[in-house]
Amino acid sequence: MNTVGVDIGGTKVKAGIVDPQGQILNLIEEPTNKRDLAGQLFSLIERQVSIKEWNIEGIGIGTAGRVDAAGAIHYATANLPGWMGTKVKQLVKERFHLPTVVDNDANCAAYAEMELGSAKQERNFICITIGTGVGAGIMINGELFHGVNGGAGEIGHMIYIPGGRPCGCGKKGCWEQYVSGTALALDINEHNELAHKNIRPEDLFELAAGKDPCAMEVVARFIKNLAVGIVSLQNILDLHFFVIGGGVIHSSHHWWELLVKELQSITDQPPVARKALLKNDAGMLGAALLARNIPVLKGRGA
Ligand SMILES: [Zn+2]
């Protein structure tokens, strides 16, 4: 039995066919069509399920935004206009007549790390995804914790600096305005020296490793903000460890040691952090694997 996993993000949508071992058999990736996201979703799934030889029996969809228990979008940021309120699970199920599950993209990534990645065989951890924004999947006793409205793990929107930088969610000073790719771009703009050199967020860590004083200052603050948030989360959740993934992990060879040291400097019981293993495909893989857990499919094996 194979399943289709879809990952819907603000910039890209990808759909893959995934086998029981988590191998990707076929993958399609497109820029997000914000004007007709539902149409794009249907088209991508159609192209995958129509390949009869793959024997697709379920569909998993990971999407940005909060997803309620019925698989509808309870909340989506302005980044995906028109997505809020969309009954994704119902629409896809009616169209393809296949068991379907819909969950938040960071939740899917956490599930994939538990099944295939750096949290294999672990049951209590939090997986933080740091990209344009910041999200997380909280795994408790091997199950995703969703909260009442599907909003659990929206850690990027914890208020970190009251009255601080405005956030896409409408609040001010959210954590993701200080620890995401967006935050780094804002930091660069605030430093004339970096802005004039057209430094991109992804270049910043390498520049800091090369001892550029401005870049070092920005990176040090970024790491401090990240570590402070992680320590606070550990006080709330008391889980075994943190998995950290998302786009920022690609440059982690430049900053991982700094993070570990910062965590140790804040508390004498520093939380344990691990690097995510699954990189860019985590959300899609997790969605596909979650589909295998739909009650009607569970236990069907290969
Ligand atoms: Zn926010």
Side-chain angles (χ1 to χ4, degrees), residues 5 8 10 46 70 72 81 89 124 146 171 183 207 236 254 261 292:
I8 300 172
E46 176 66 42
K89 180 175 162 182
N124 293 285
H146 289 97
K171 300 199 296 280
L207 204 60
I236 298 167
H254 289 308
K261 278 189 193 144
R292 305 184 68 82

Side-chain angles (χ1 to χ4, degrees), residues 156-157 167-171 174 176:
H157 301 287
C167 182
C169 74
K171 300 199 296 280
C174 290
E176 75 174 27

Side-chain angles (χ1 to χ4, degrees), residues 52-249:
K52 293 289 176 228
E53 69 199 81
W54 295 124
N55 185 27
I56 306 300
E57 295 200 31
I59 299 168
I61 297 164
T63 172
R66 277 180 225 157
V67 181
D68 69 17
I73 307 300
H74 186 75
Y75 174 83
T77 62
N79 199 21
L80 292 176
W83 198 228
M84 192 149 77
T86 308
K87 294 175 176 170
V88 182
K89 180 175 162 182
Q90 189 186 326
L91 290 171
V92 170
K93 239 179 127 174
E94 283 173 4
R95 179 100 167 203
F96 296 100
H97 308 290
L98 284 171
T100 301
V101 63
V102 184
D103 210 323
N104 167 269
D105 50 0
N107 284 350
C108 291
Y111 191 77
E113 289 294 336
M114 182 177 75
E115 291 288 309
L116 305 168
S118 64
K120 227 171 167 178
Q121 314 297 335
E122 303 278 0
R123 294 170 60 79
N124 293 285
F125 66 95
I126 174 165
C127 177
I128 301 180
T129 301
I130 304 175
T132 314
V134 177
I138 302 167
M139 300 294 315
I140 296 176
N141 296 326
E143 302 275 346
L144 280 163
F145 178 69
H146 289 97
V148 175
N149 299 304
E154 291 281 358
I155 58 172
H157 301 287
M158 301 185 293
I159 293 180
Y160 181 64
I161 307 279
R165 290 172 171 169
C167 182
C169 74
K171 300 199 296 280
K172 282 185 178 170
C174 290
W175 193 42
E176 75 174 27
Q177 297 304 320
Y178 301 89
V179 296
S180 61
T182 307
L184 288 172
L186 291 169
D187 290 337
I188 289 168
N189 278 338
E190 286 173 5
H191 279 77
N192 284 340
E193 236 177 276
L194 295 171
H196 283 148
K197 285 189 222 163
N198 285 325
I199 300 300
R200 300 172 308 165
E202 53 267 46
D203 302 327
L204 204 58
F205 295 105
E206 193 176 352
L207 204 60
K211 305 282 181 220
D212 177 284
C214 264
M216 285 173 76
E217 187 191 321
V218 169
V219 167
R221 201 168 53 203
F222 177 88
I223 294 297
K224 188 169 191 75
N225 292 334
L226 180 58
V228 166
I230 288 175
V231 169
S232 298
L233 287 167
Q234 179 64 356
N235 280 294
I236 298 167
L237 293 164
D238 186 23
L239 298 175
H240 280 146
F241 57 90
F242 288 76
V243 175
I244 298 175
V248 78
I249 206 69

